Structure formats: structure tokens, C-alpha cells
Amino acid sequence: MGKPKNLPLAGIRTDGDTQPRVEIDCDTVDEYAEVIATARKEKKDHGFPPLDVFFDGESYWLAGGFHRRLAAQQAGLKSFPCTIHEGTVEDARWFAVTTNQKVQLKRSNADKRKAAEMALKMRPEWSDSRIADHVGVTDKTVSEARAHLESTSEIPELEERVGRDGRTRNVSGIGGKK
């Protein structure tokens, strides 16, 4: 990682399904843009943390900071500080589901559910509690998301899952499963 580096906003990709929120809050983008524009006019630091991007050798994938990126564009910035992580778009998605746990704009229940579903699609073999720990949601949120994804065949119903401790357990008899 290292020190944040300014990257052109136009070169940061957002089309890799790395957005863990259900929707962008336009009021928050407007508020952030106003802070950025005021700081720019006063030649001060805007105070926002860098964006998190993953570089796969060819593309920079946005994994954290979607509201900040849009606000920076709205405020007329051409570049923004970024923390660059080496990795694929899949790595960016895995990182993205952990973001927004402790930020100014709290996650809605729908955002938490979407993050849980994204994580389950990437690691269906992980237990509900292990996914919940990673995403920062409750086991119940993950369990409900899993039931939905299994019922729509978006993830397989597995007889074994890997727990928090890394051990594989048979779950075929849990929750009424046979």
C-alpha cells in the first residue's frame, strides 16, 4: 500500500460490481462536494480519507469511497488521493464488503444485506458467522441472505461450511436441512 497517490478520477473503474451499497445518497454527495469545493477555494485540505482502489496491472477498481469519488467529480476535481492495493476486481469486491462499517453515512439494512449477499456469492463455503464477521453484520442477516440466494440458485446449498476457526463442519442437519 504505502502513501496515498493522486489518481485521475476518470481512470478509476466503478463497473466491477464493487459497490456494496444499494444506492448512492445524493444528499451526502452534495454535502461532501460542498466541503471539497470550499476547501479547494480556500486552498485547504478537504479532510476526506483517500479512496481505496485495487490495481490489477491494467485497471484501478474502486473498492471504497463511492460517495467521495462522486463528490470530488461534482466539485470539479480531476484527481483524488487513493490508497492503492494490489489485486484483482474480485479482491476489490471482497474488500468492498468490509467497507462502510464505521463511516459517517451509516449502512442501511438493505446495504448490509447486499454486502452479505456479495460475500456469500464469493465465499459460499464460509459459515454464516464467518461471513458476518468479515462483513460486519449479524449472523441472522447472513442466514437470511443465504436462504434467499440458495432458494434462487444463486449459490449452492452446501453440506459443509468453513467456520471462523478455519475448520470444516457438516451443516446438513442444521436448520431443518437433511
Side-chain angles (χ1 to χ4, degrees):
M1 276 191 309
K3 182 181 172 188
K5 176 182 174 185
N6 273 339
L7 290 180
L9 291 168
I12 299 172
R13 296 190 61 178
T14 60
D15 60 336
D17 193 29
T18 58
Q19 168 59 284
R21 290 191 187 270
V22 173
E23 60 187 25
I24 293 293
D25 183 306
C26 294
D27 291 338
T28 298
V29 172
D30 291 345
E31 180 185 322
Y32 289 3
E34 188 176 321
V35 170
I36 292 168
T38 300
R40 186 177 183 198
K41 189 164 51 171
E42 296 175 357
K43 297 185 184 336
K44 294 182 180 177
D45 178 30
H46 51 69
F48 288 105
L51 305 177
D52 281 292
V53 299
F54 278 71
F55 183 62
D56 63 9
E58 188 174 313
S59 296
Y60 291 95
W61 298 99
L62 185 60
F66 284 82
H67 286 82
R68 285 174 276 143
R69 179 185 170 276
L70 287 171
Q73 287 179 310
Q74 187 173 310
L77 297 184
K78 299 294 182 210
S79 63
F80 201 87
C82 296
T83 300
I84 301 170
H85 308 267
E86 296 296 323
T88 64
V89 67
E90 179 81 8
D91 295 325
R93 284 186 206 115
W94 189 241
F95 179 91
V97 299
T98 69
T99 63
N100 302 320
Q101 294 180 34
K102 297 175 183 167
V103 294
Q104 189 173 0
L105 179 61
K106 292 188 181 247
R107 295 186 294 179
S108 68
N109 287 338
D111 292 337
K112 293 174 187 177
R113 171 78 177 251
K114 180 177 179 185
E117 287 183 358
M118 286 173 67
L120 282 164
K121 287 177 182 177
M122 290 182 273
R123 306 280 195 285
E125 73 281 4
W126 277 23
S127 70
D128 292 353
S129 59
R130 190 169 185 187
I131 292 283
D133 286 350
H134 182 73
V135 177
V137 298
T138 65
D139 293 6
K140 182 180 177 187
T141 298
V142 177
S143 176
E144 290 171 356
R146 182 184 297 277
H148 169 74
L149 293 175
E150 287 176 348
S151 74
T152 58
S153 299
E154 293 179 69
I155 63 170
E157 288 188 45
L158 301 173
E159 291 190 12
E160 295 184 334
R161 295 191 196 144
V162 180
R164 288 180 175 129
D165 58 5
R167 291 178 38 209
T168 301
R169 291 178 178 79
N170 186 314
V171 294
S172 60
I174 297 174
K177 290 185 178 184
K178 302 264 178 190

